[in-house]
Every structure is written in structure tokens, then in C-alpha cells.
Amino acid sequence: MEYTTRVIPESFRGARDDFTLQFSMVWDQIKAPLIVPLLRLAVAVCLIMSVMLFIERVYMGVVIILIKLFGRRPEKRYKWEPMKDDVELGNSGYPMVLIQVPMYNEREVYQLSIGAACGLSWPSDRIIIQVLDDSTDPTIKDMVELECQRWASKGINIKYEIRDNRNGYKAGALKEGMKRSYVKNCDYVAIFDADFQPEPDFLWRTIPFLVHNPEIGLVQARWKFVNADECLMTRMQEMSLNYHFSVEQEVGSSTYAFFGFNGTAGVWRIAALNEAGGWKDRTTVEDMDLAVRASLKGWKFLYLDDLRVKNELPSTFKAYRYQQHRWSCGPANLFRKMIKEIVMNKVSNFSHLFVSNTSSVSPHQEAHPFSFPFFVCWELRK
């Protein structure tokens, strides 16, 4: 028995040493022909991506300089005329505008957002305020409903809408809101999140672009942060988002290329929204999802840098982390779902160059056959 207890451990150690030696030999044999090329490929891909990012930054810098030098304001690139009263038609000469304000347990800001929406200047019989309340707190629901009733008693055409569930979250609420019968008479829809406060002249500065330029599907305004100096985190967010607006979106708009809808502080042409398939809740970035589908249909987007809408930045790390997680994971998931559609759209646009009869193509689909698919892929990749 003593002999056995001594032999087994020694044999086991010998087998283990043999296995380690064999594994080391196998690793030495496959390391050079397999692992090294994969690492080299990964390094090459990283270098290529770095060069692409550098070229993109240089390109955007050049475009911004040219915009500043030559003053390529939106009013010069697109037709813009102020809306005028028609003696014969009266207010019916103005387009019907829907204002959507999605909410979810907004105890602190619901009065400000509803008040700002109801304070928008536009003929009273040509505007509908739609408050989409998904609140789960009964107390907050009652407060929001009472606030809507208060504005309705002042003659404001405001609708308080609720759902039995929260399917699709914000996208689901917006989608349900668009199904209401009174929406069928509307031409445009402006969307403001609960913490956004547009100035009274917001519609007078955006709607004319849509009225006089039938190829434009979206007019996007810039965000103005009222709590940017609250802490270091809000200052850092302001710097990052200011670059996004003043450079990325300005360049995309000025070059007639793709840039994403920010989910709020924008006005959609309802025809463009419907043609793109409406709101979908398949990702956490329903705003970019809609923008990609609309751009693939050929609709143009316009960004107005001098039109700014007040809002607040996340001031707690928890809120900031949640926001960044949604903004980071959402585009990657959307890219995975839409890559085939984007590639097929690019191939289809390429084939249109060799087709002489384009009578079946709508006016907003004729220009810039390559710009949208390329920039859609690039923006989603980022």
C-alpha cells in the first residue's frame, strides 16, 4: 500500500509534464502560421480605421472652414420665405402642425414642457398639442392630466393620451399617437422630449423650409444646455455634444449627406415619416432608426445651428451611464439589423445611373445617389 501511494503521484506528475510539453509544442507549431497573421490583420484593421477617422476629422474641418468663409446658411441653400396671411384662405392657408410631447414620470419638468409646447406661436386652429403620458405613477398621471385640462380651458387644442401598456417605450408612444384620427389632417409633426423648452417662434423658423422645399423630410434644431455649468460631468458632456452639433451635423446638412435625427427638437414631414415606415421599437435608438430609413428613401435633412432649444444634461452618473449605454449599443444593434438594406439600397442607386427612364422615381429620390448609403454606414459604424 505504501508503494502504491508513492507511485501514483509521481506518475500523475509525469503525465502532467508530458501534457504541458505537448501543448507547448502544438502552440509553437500553430502560433506562427495562425495567430500571428490574425494579430497582424487586427492591427491593420485598427490602422485603417484610425486613418479613416483622421480623414473624416480633416474633411469636417475643411467643410466647416468653407461654411464659415462663404456663409453657406440654410436660407441660401434652400428656399425660405416667411409664412404670410392669405386674405381669401385665412388660417386654412397654414399647414396643420402636430406637437408631440412624450412623457414618463416627469414630476419636475412636466409643467415647463407642456407650457412651452402650448406657448408655441401658430394659428390656434392649425396646431394640435399631443401629450403622450406613459407615466406609471398615478399621482404624476393625475398632475399631467390636470395641467393639460388647465391649458385646454384657455382655448389650447391639447390632447392628453395614455396607453394600457408601455410596449415600445418612447417609440411605441409616438407610434400610438400617430394613429389618432385627428392626426390624419396634419402635415408636419414636431417632437419635444419632456425636458425641452422651445421658443415661441420655433415653428415660424422651421415650417417654411418644409413648405417651400418638398424634398426636405426633417428640420433639426440644436440643443441649448441650461445646466452645463452644474458640474464637471455636465461641462464635459456640453463639449462633446457641441462638437456633434456644430461640426458633425452641420457638415452633414451642408453637404446634403446623412445625419441622424436627435429624437427631439425637430420637425418631421409626416409624409416622409410614413413613407419610411413610421416609428419602430426594434432598437434603443428609434430616432436614428427612423432617420436611416427615411434617408434611404431619398429624403433630405436640414440642420439649423442658430435655432436652439433649451434642455438639461444628465447631472448624475446613473442617468449619464444609462444615456451613454443606449447611445453606444443602439447604433451597433441597428447596423446589424439594417446592413443588408443599406447595401441593397446602394446597389439599387448605382443601377439607376444606367436606367434612362426615371419617371417612376419621386423628386426627392433623384439627387445624390451615393451620399446617403455611404454616410449611413459610416454614422452607424461610429
Side-chain angles (χ1 to χ4, degrees), residues 195-299:
D195 59 333
F196 279 71
Q197 305 166 43
E199 296 296 330
D201 64 345
F202 180 89
L203 296 178
W204 295 109
R205 298 176 64 179
T206 54
I207 297 298
F209 283 108
L210 294 163
V211 171
H212 300 300
N213 302 274
E215 71 275 17
I216 295 180
L218 165 70
V219 177
Q220 174 69 62
R222 183 171 177 169
W223 299 357
K224 180 180 180 181
F225 313 109
V226 297
N227 65 332
D229 297 326
E230 184 173 336
C231 61
L232 178 61
M233 186 171 66
T234 55
R235 294 192 193 102
M236 294 174 65
Q237 291 178 74
E238 182 192 30
M239 289 188 291
S240 175
L241 290 172
N242 279 345
Y243 174 81
H244 167 70
F245 286 111
S246 60
V247 178
E248 293 180 343
Q249 295 213 309
E250 184 70 73
V251 170
S253 177
S254 299
T255 56
Y256 306 98
F258 171 81
F259 67 90
F261 173 46
N262 297 320
T264 180
V267 186
W268 277 96
R269 186 187 301 273
I270 292 182
L273 192 151
N274 290 336
E275 185 181 353
W279 294 101
K280 295 184 178 180
D281 58 0
R282 55 184 175 175
T283 68
T284 58
V285 283
E286 67 284 335
D287 44 11
M288 178 175 283
D289 189 350
L290 176 60
V292 170
R293 287 181 281 113
S295 65
L296 292 178
K297 293 293 184 180
W299 291 98

Side-chain angles (χ1 to χ4, degrees), residues 13 86 117 130 139 162 166 182 193 293 314 342 372 382:
R13 283 198 298 270
D86 192 310
Q130 187 184 66
T139 303
I162 60 175
R166 294 194 63 234
Y182 52 81
D193 283 350
R293 287 181 281 113
I342 293 171
F372 279 134
K382 295 191 291 184

Side-chain angles (χ1 to χ4, degrees), residues 215 256-259 268 272 275-277 280 282 288-301 334-335 337-350 352 361-362 364-378 380:
E215 71 275 17
Y256 306 98
F258 171 81
F259 67 90
W268 277 96
E275 185 181 353
K280 295 184 178 180
R282 55 184 175 175
M288 178 175 283
D289 189 350
L290 176 60
V292 170
R293 287 181 281 113
S295 65
L296 292 178
K297 293 293 184 180
W299 291 98
K300 295 180 182 178
F301 300 162
L334 180 61
F335 181 78
K337 292 177 179 294
M338 294 201 65
I339 179 62
K340 182 178 180 181
E341 185 177 347
I342 293 171
V343 172
M344 293 303 296
N345 180 271
K346 187 176 181 67
V347 173
S348 176
N349 283 330
F350 181 80
H352 279 313
V361 181
S362 57
H364 65 269
Q365 292 176 317
E366 293 178 0
H368 310 284
F370 295 102
S371 58
F372 279 134
F374 173 79
F375 280 97
V376 164
C377 288
W378 185 247
L380 289 177

